[in-house]
Amino acid sequence: MENPSEKTPAWWESLPSWLLTQTAHHAHRLVGDGFSSVGARGYHYRLLATLEESGPASQAALGRRSGIHLSDMVATINELADGKLVERAPDPSDRRRNVISLTAAGKRQLRRLEKRLAECQDELLAPLSPEERQGLTELLSRLLDHHNRRTGTPEER
Amino acid sequence: MENPSEKTPAWWESLPSWLLTQTAHHAHRLVGDGFSSVGARGYHYRLLATLEESGPASQAALGRRSGIHLSDMVATINELADGKLVERAPDPSDRRRNVISLTAAGKRQLRRLEKRLAECQDELLAPLSPEERQGLTELLSRLLDHHNRRTGTPEER
DNA sequence: AATGAATCATTAGTGCTTCCAACGATTCGT
DNA sequence: ACGAATCGTTGGAAGCACTAATGATTCATT
């Protein structure tokens, strides 16, 4: 949707689902640009952040904790390992597994990404007052929780 | 993100950009399912709705008004024309153009889609009170407006 | 201990939406 | 009449999420 130049008073533009997806599109673009300005993308950040807070772990475990699909972990780790941000070593205690761990460079990259991310939040919410920001966050949390319960985390197993 | 089964207390999950994109993901899924239950998708709805409120027009004009990229209009119109929901006729006054118009069947389909769409809004906002729904809508509108001004509608020409 | 079930890493491929680049054909501006 | 702009079309890219299949390894049950 690069060019809504001609007056576009489409009535559907006031639907919550539209407002939500379009605003999210802007958010996604902001964050994506922020990440790519340091040569990364969303999956990279999520994996690095998960690694820091879980410590070294197998790809499958990291996938579960970060919400990244097993099959996408492979490429993500490959890319990060190419840049020496992450290390992949076989697990001696379980030869099916690789143990992934964060390098010092990876930690530095993570700091950069966190900084960008914080800037993006501010840019995203620029027109809102602090109270409004908190209100929005709370409403969205409730919605997300509700829908995650219904579909996302089926409490499986 | 099908499987966040293992406790996933990732701290980034409280960031507005995350809440926004994830909630939007649910919204998108809800609406997409609603549409596909009558054999359509988002672009179909947007084009049909735009056609009804603008009347017959060229593909380029419809693209501008609906926010659908020129290159995506082709496939969208092909699909709708296959189902006789829309008609594509050469414009005698400008041989570069096609004139696209809505058929009776297209109008009926539009009514169906609007119905689904309304149902989806309700499902999407289920956990919120009427006041909260309005508050959310207003906050999102402000955000969207702000960002559209900065990037979306460059007031070009 | 043996066997079937589950887990792990990997490859390959799908879908959706948005966008870009390029192309001929046609029309417009000057 | 000329170059510039517009129109339709094709083909491709990216990001995110997900599906299916495979071989290797480990686990759980009898």
Side-chain angles (χ1 to χ4, degrees), chain B residues 122-133:
Chain B
D122 228 71
E123 208 173 333
L124 174 62
L125 303 178
L128 302 189
S129 73
E131 300 79 38
E132 289 170 330
R133 296 182 186 201

Side-chain angles (χ1 to χ4, degrees), chain B residues 19 24 37 44 51 54 63 67 81 87 97 105 121 147:
Chain B
L19 296 172
S37 77
H44 293 178
L51 258 177
S54 318
E87 264 181 8
R97 287 178 181 149
Q121 306 307 309
H147 291 289

Side-chain angles (χ1 to χ4, degrees), chain B residues 35 41-48 67-69 72 76 80:
Chain B
F35 283 168
R41 56 197 184 91
Y43 278 5
H44 293 178
Y45 167 72
R46 268 158 72 182
L47 184 45
L48 291 175
I68 298 176
H69 212 275
D72 300 316
T76 306
L80 289 174

